[in-house]
Amino acid sequence: MADRQAGHRGVAVLAVLASLCAVVSCAVVIALLLLPRAGKGASAPSSQAATGPLCRGEGCEGKSPMRQHCASSPDTLASRHLSTGAWMELRHSTVCGTSWARMWGTDVGDRLEMTAGAEGRPAREARVRDRADADTYVYTLMTVSGRGTVVRACYRPVGGGPRECAEGRVR
């Protein structure tokens, strides 16, 4: 009988030790996730710069809103559901001082043309080149636009259907 009680005590001690190990392991993992990383203070500004916009104003003209990090939280100036079932939007980044247009739900060959203001800026165009483009967003390059600028985009479907346009004003 004494051997039996000793065996139960041994099992109980092992269960307690296993529970303690589990609790300590969880505490270590949580601490590692919540505590700041060593040396982070010195590298924080450069890591923030890498995720913030890489251009502003004239420096963004004709560049990709995605690659320049201007598309992280843009305003939508106008949105339109098109007769083909596709969608288009006019977007503006206050931090970059630029606008662009995008479309999705499109067919290969569809085009989108965007202009901003009467400042003589070139029209920006996007074209759905292949099935991969048609399955995602296709967007124009950026153009400089400030408060009050009228931004206009026109969708031209590949089949020669009617041109459909949307317009918005930068706030």
Side-chain angles (χ1 to χ4, degrees), residues 2 20 38 65 69 77 84 87 95 119 134:
L20 283 174
H69 299 232
L77 304 178
T84 62
W87 284 86
V95 71
E119 303 160 2

Side-chain angles (χ1 to χ4, degrees), residues 1-9:
M1 177 98 161
D3 286 335
R4 206 171 202 194
Q5 285 179 343
H8 286 290
R9 262 189 248 132

Side-chain angles (χ1 to χ4, degrees), residues 59-77:
C60 294
E61 186 69 38
K63 294 182 179 175
S64 163
M66 301 303 184
R67 289 190 188 118
Q68 296 301 309
H69 299 232
C70 293
S72 61
S73 59
D75 296 322
T76 299
L77 304 178

Side-chain angles (χ1 to χ4, degrees), residues 10 36 51 53 65 68 70 74 76-77 89 100 106 117 135 165 167-168 170:
T51 59
Q68 296 301 309
C70 293
T76 299
L77 304 178
E89 283 183 336
W100 64 93
T106 55
D135 290 339
C165 299
E167 195 172 276
V170 176

Side-chain angles (χ1 to χ4, degrees), residues 2-21:
D3 286 335
R4 206 171 202 194
Q5 285 179 343
H8 286 290
R9 262 189 248 132
V11 170
V13 168
L14 284 176
V16 169
L17 288 174
S19 296
L20 283 174
C21 285

Side-chain angles (χ1 to χ4, degrees), residues 74-88:
D75 296 322
T76 299
L77 304 178
S79 182
R80 182 163 180 185
H81 188 222
L82 304 161
S83 62
T84 62
W87 284 86
M88 77 171 163

